[in-house]
Amino acid sequence: MRNILLVEPPYKTKYPPLGLMKIAAYHKRLNDRVVFVKGCIPEIKAERWDRVYVSSLFTYYWKQTVKAVAYYQDSVPRRTDVIVGGVLATLLKDDLEAETGATVIPGLLDTPGILDPGDKTKIDTLTPDYSILSNANFTYELQNSYIGYATRGCPNGCDFCAVHQIEPEFNGYLPLSRQIRLIEELYGEKRDLILLDNNVLASSRFKDIIKDIKALGFEKGATYSYRNKTGRISTVNRYVDFNQGLDARLLTEEKMALLSEIAIRPARIAFDDIRFRKLYEAKIRLAAKYGLTHLSNYILYNFKDHPTDFYDRLRINLDLNEELGTQIFSFPMRYVDLKSKNRLTSTPGNIGENWNVKFLRAIQCVLIRTRGLVGTKRDYFLKAFGNNHEEFYKIMLMPESYIIHRFDHEGDGSTDLWWSQVCSLSDWEREIFDKIVCNQLYRTVNHAELPRAVRKALSHYMNYDSGKLPDVDEELIALPPAGKIRAA
Ligand code: SF4
């Protein structure tokens, strides 16, 4: 019997670590002792382990991942007995090996013998071991959900997406029934069904997938009963969530009709590019026609888009909500270079060609209030993002504290004073001002050399510590579970 430790680095996530749960199932079959922890735990480090597996997520969690790997390397016979897999491990394999000396396994665990030569198990096909979560030092928001895949990979290769590197083969049908039934048999019935498919609509067997979902008890209007804390039976709705979103380009009327037969909520439809406006609007109308009114929308920004495109995409959702009676919640997703080891807005690769560090931070400031979510209330939206492009630009130029504490600064007159000083700048002064603000140079530039009017307008930016701005992307990762979004 071997002593096996599974570690998820201490970043925020609401999804249980599926890869580690499958590795747990694999080692338990071999009668090994398996322990799972989140982060760096001294008592666990003090034990001797035969092997430690560390999962990884986005590349910008580099620091936390490397720290977790290094932390447990003294607890195994050799540094190579720490094995790292996952997204970061796939995209930054060489860097991670050089930095830690750990064994890095890229891609999926879908080759027999990949962990132990000669073994015939395809680890990726095993039923995830949910039991490791019950004794863990961390509770995942989506623990009470079946989590699985009806497809793997994606036939497309969008520039901003790493799926084709992580899951290069597109498999258009995985027998969902078997996966879910096994989870239910081994670990009990779960409420919701979370499907991590990258592009389920690309499957030629989409009809069969919907059939499987219905057969599993997730048809439209499906419910789930459980014994609550007082011992009574409670019944709630259960939902299906294709959490990676649905590709609007592939959303035909037939597929929309099929989606409306299952308990999907929210239906997440991507709107990554303003050029797809007509198509996107048509698909939202189609969704409304089939009674899918609870919608969610990933809005990629800071890639090839322009800030005004970003504003327009949010505004379109607002207008559609009012026209169709839908509830579209938008999730702005800031593009970060696929191999970036941090997600700072000041890192050159993390700034899109039409964006700048100030505008990106301004969006973060606006989203802090709503935990990354743009809701459906018109008044709130217009206040947060402005009535039009001009007001949007004004908000993006504002000092960060004026954005975050909008009412305080409007109340004491400082916002009006700042804006009147900005508007009174001559063209060449405004050019200097914009350059300094958009590149956040107000702390490094020599103010004595600047025109007096520019100095005055810049003085509003000096009264806060931008280093203390909360990172709204942390919040985005830890967004409330679908249930809470639905209730919002
Ligand atoms: S369609 Fe979606 S999953 Fe496929 S490559 Fe593009 S962004 Fe990635």
Side-chain angles (χ1 to χ4, degrees):
M1 185 178 86
R2 289 176 292 184
N3 247 356
I4 302 295
L5 176 63
L6 309 175
V7 179
E8 185 176 57
Y11 40 67
K12 285 187 187 174
T13 173
K14 59 181 180 169
Y15 296 100
L18 220 49
L20 292 180
M21 289 156 75
K22 289 179 180 180
I23 293 174
Y26 167 73
H27 276 287
K28 284 188 183 175
R29 279 178 155 204
L30 303 173
N31 290 324
D32 293 330
R33 172 182 171 241
V34 178
V35 172
F36 165 69
V37 291
K38 175 96 179 158
C40 304
I41 312 292
E43 309 86 77
I44 298 291
K45 178 187 163 82
E47 277 193 56
R48 296 301 299 163
W49 301 96
D50 292 300
R51 209 180 262 181
V52 175
Y53 294 93
V54 180
S55 61
S56 71
L57 205 53
F58 305 115
T59 58
Y60 50 72
Y61 287 137
W62 171 260
K63 218 165 123 189
Q64 295 95 316
T65 307
V66 167
K67 189 179 163 196
V69 171
Y71 188 80
Y72 290 106
Q73 273 179 320
D74 293 340
S75 312
V76 285
R78 294 168 303 265
R79 291 165 83 198
T80 49
D81 291 322
V82 173
I83 300 173
V84 198
V87 177
L88 178 151
T90 302
L91 297 177
L92 296 175
K93 179 179 186 291
D94 294 346
D95 287 12
L96 193 57
E97 277 172 348
E99 180 84 17
T100 63
T103 302
V104 179
I105 301 184
L108 301 177
L109 293 175
D110 55 359
T111 313
I114 196 164
L115 297 183
D116 292 299
D119 190 275
K120 303 252 179 319
T121 316
K122 268 192 185 181
I123 295 164
D124 192 49
T125 62
L126 293 178
T127 304
D129 184 336
Y130 279 71
S131 71
I132 62 168
L133 304 177
S134 42
N135 298 322
N137 56 334
F138 186 81
T139 305
Y140 293 88
E141 289 178 21
L142 297 181
Q143 226 156 290
N144 191 23
S145 303
Y146 300 108
I147 300 180
Y149 294 87
T151 63
R152 268 287 165 109
C154 172
N156 299 340
C158 303
D159 295 345
F160 55 83
C161 179
V163 165
H164 52 286
Q165 293 177 59
I166 298 158
E167 299 176 17
E169 303 294 326
F170 180 60
N171 181 347
Y173 183 74
L174 295 170
L176 206 48
S177 309
R178 189 180 158 273
Q179 296 173 55
I180 304 307
R181 293 275 180 241
L182 279 172
I183 295 173
E184 188 177 329
E185 269 170 36
L186 293 169
Y187 309 108
E189 193 185 12
K190 311 265 172 220
R191 174 179 163 173
D192 295 329
L193 174 61
I194 311 284
L195 292 166
L196 305 175
D197 299 63
N198 300 299
N199 195 347
V200 70
L201 297 182
S203 170
S204 57
R205 296 190 61 185
F206 185 66
K207 218 181 217 174
D208 293 327
I209 292 170
I210 295 293
K211 206 168 143 195
D212 288 352
I213 292 172
K214 284 173 23 186
L216 285 166
F218 286 91
E219 70 288 350
K220 187 179 177 181
T223 56
Y224 167 81
S225 297
Y226 66 101
R227 199 170 288 283
N228 64 26
K229 282 181 192 151
T230 63
R232 292 218 183 97
I233 299 289
S234 289
T235 300
V236 291
N237 287 327
R238 63 188 339 195
Y239 295 113
V240 181
D241 184 2
F242 287 100
N243 81 331
Q244 301 298 297
L246 301 166
D247 187 341
R249 293 164 296 188
L250 304 175
L251 204 42
T252 60
E253 181 146 9
E254 189 195 357
K255 286 178 181 168
M256 191 70 87
L258 287 167
L259 282 171
S260 73
E261 293 173 13
I262 60 170
I264 186 167
R265 185 162 162 171
R268 303 177 191 269
I269 302 175
F271 188 14
D272 294 328
D273 193 324
I274 193 71
R275 287 177 303 163
F276 297 133
R277 175 183 184 154
K278 291 246 163 331
L279 177 96
Y280 172 76
E281 288 178 336
K283 302 306 173 179
I284 296 293
R285 290 202 169 85
L286 197 56
K289 177 178 163 189
Y290 282 91
L292 299 178
T293 52
H294 288 85
L295 303 160
S296 172
N297 181 227
Y298 294 127
I299 299 218
L300 179 80
Y301 71 103
N302 186 42
F303 186 54
K304 302 258 193 276
D305 59 313
H306 195 276
T308 49
D309 304 347
F310 170 68
Y311 175 89
D312 288 344
R313 283 180 286 154
L314 295 175
R315 184 77 191 244
I316 287 165
N317 280 341
L318 193 71
D319 296 340
L320 285 168
N321 280 334
E322 289 181 357
E323 180 199 326
L324 302 169
T326 49
Q327 281 191 291
I328 312 171
F329 290 90
S330 305
F331 290 99
M333 308 287 281
R334 176 165 60 90
Y335 176 75
V336 172
D337 183 273
L338 286 180
K339 293 197 171 177
S340 179
K341 290 178 182 165
N342 65 63
R343 59 180 159 191
L344 298 174
T345 44
S346 51
T347 302
N350 291 346
I351 304 175
E353 59 198 40
N354 298 311
W355 288 80
N356 59 60
V357 61
K358 171 67 180 85
F359 288 2
L360 291 175
R361 288 187 64 89
I363 301 295
Q364 285 182 288
C365 292
V366 172
L367 294 175
I368 280 166
R369 287 258 174 246
T370 55
R371 295 194 67 214
L373 178 76
V374 180
T376 57
K377 293 200 174 77
R378 176 169 288 268
D379 290 354
Y380 194 93
F381 176 85
L382 297 179
K383 185 73 189 163
F385 292 94
N387 276 292
N388 48 42
H389 290 169
E390 287 71 35
E391 286 188 18
F392 179 55
Y393 266 113
K394 177 182 167 185
I395 291 166
M396 288 202 293
L397 266 188
M398 266 184 199
E400 290 175 9
S401 62
Y402 290 15
I403 303 174
I404 297 172
H405 307 293
R406 195 84 64 88
F407 291 103
D408 294 349
H409 289 287
E410 284 177 359
D412 68 16
S414 43
T415 304
D416 281 348
L417 177 65
W418 159 76
W419 190 235
S420 69
Q421 289 170 343
V422 174
C423 292
S424 70
L425 297 174
S426 65
D427 286 352
W428 68 274
E429 286 171 336
R430 180 65 191 263
E431 215 175 292
I432 297 171
F433 171 84
D434 281 354
K435 198 171 173 190
I436 293 171
V437 170
C438 290
N439 295 295
Q440 293 209 305
L441 300 174
Y442 21 81
R443 291 189 185 280
T444 49
V445 79
N446 183 353
H447 285 243
E449 288 177 359
L450 297 173
R452 193 160 166 270
V454 175
R455 280 208 310 270
K456 269 184 164 173
L458 284 180
S459 67
H460 297 264
Y461 295 81
M462 307 301 289
N463 300 330
Y464 63 90
D465 180 357
S466 65
K468 287 187 182 154
L469 179 73
D471 183 352
V472 78
D473 285 338
E474 275 296 328
E475 303 296 330
L476 278 173
I477 297 300
L479 277 172
K484 283 193 193 160
I485 295 166
R486 293 190 292 263

